[in-house]
Amino acid sequence: SYYMRLPCVVGICVLQLLISDSLAFSVLTAGSPAPQTLRPAATLLQHTRSFSAQCTSLRTARHRKNPSVLKMSGGAGSCTGVFVYIQCKPGTEEEFKTASLANAQNSVQEAGIARFDCIQCVEDPTKFVLVEVYKEDAAPAKHKETSHYATWRDTVADMMAVPRTAAKYSTIFPVEATGWDVPLYLKTGSTESIQDE
């Protein structure tokens, strides 16, 4: 970005000015620049080029290490958030939660899924929302090919009061994809939190 490049640009400009001043001083004082006089200027130029290369290298390494730095505001490569809105028939809430819990616990094991939340409405317990965050574009389709999704889909089919709907979003914050990952103890199926381990 502009702000990442600015320190490098300023540094290069300052060093180039120093080089120019050094050369001018050499010409004025010696008439013709001797090798001994030009050596500091040449060294300074070499450092300038090295500094510029290091700035470029650091930016490249940072983006490779954390590609999600570029994922803000739904940018290229951002995670996909899917909200699935569900209303089940009265009296089937517990069965639905049991089936959805099994599906969620298996879904967070998938490489392309960062998190898979299931939440229930306080005012109307028949209403649920599944919050699914996918790390890659192909992950939603891969998820629907899994056996645990097929089991959940078939199990809850008769529980639906109305057809479920879904809406897709691009993540903004957390910025990094790893910020959406569920805690490790949930992925391993442990009932104890990290603090208890």
Side-chain angles (χ1 to χ4, degrees), residues 73-138:
S73 303
S78 64
C79 293
T80 298
V82 179
F83 282 59
V84 181
Y85 301 95
I86 298 168
Q87 183 172 5
C88 63
K89 297 174 183 176
T92 65
E93 296 92 341
E94 293 305 316
E95 294 178 73
F96 178 81
K97 285 195 289 186
T98 299
S100 298
L101 178 60
N103 181 47
Q105 289 174 332
N106 283 285
S107 295
V108 294
Q109 308 297 327
E110 298 176 42
I113 292 182
R115 65 185 307 114
F116 203 99
D117 301 344
C118 180
I119 56 179
Q120 184 178 23
C121 180
V122 175
E123 297 178 352
D124 185 351
T126 66
K127 293 182 178 180
F128 295 83
V129 180
L130 302 182
V131 182
E132 309 166 8
V133 179
Y134 296 94
K135 299 178 182 179
E136 53 193 43
D137 293 338

Side-chain angles (χ1 to χ4, degrees), residues 6 10 38 49 52 77 81 110 147 161 169 184 196:
L6 185 58
V10 172
L38 285 177
R49 291 171 178 170
S52 177
E110 298 176 42
S147 59
Y169 299 85
L184 181 61
D196 297 332

Side-chain angles (χ1 to χ4, degrees), residues 13-78:
C13 290
V14 171
L15 290 174
Q16 286 177 338
L17 285 173
L18 290 174
I19 293 171
S20 299
D21 290 343
S22 178
L23 288 173
F25 179 77
S26 299
V27 172
L28 289 174
T29 57
S32 60
Q36 292 82 0
T37 308
L38 285 177
R39 189 172 301 160
T43 302
L44 207 54
L45 178 60
Q46 182 180 4
H47 288 170
T48 301
R49 291 171 178 170
S50 176
F51 180 70
S52 177
Q54 288 177 6
C55 288
T56 302
S57 178
L58 286 172
R59 289 198 305 270
T60 302
R62 182 173 181 234
H63 289 164
R64 285 177 179 173
K65 183 178 180 181
N66 295 311
S68 53
V69 167
L70 304 177
K71 293 180 180 178
M72 293 200 63
S73 303
S78 64

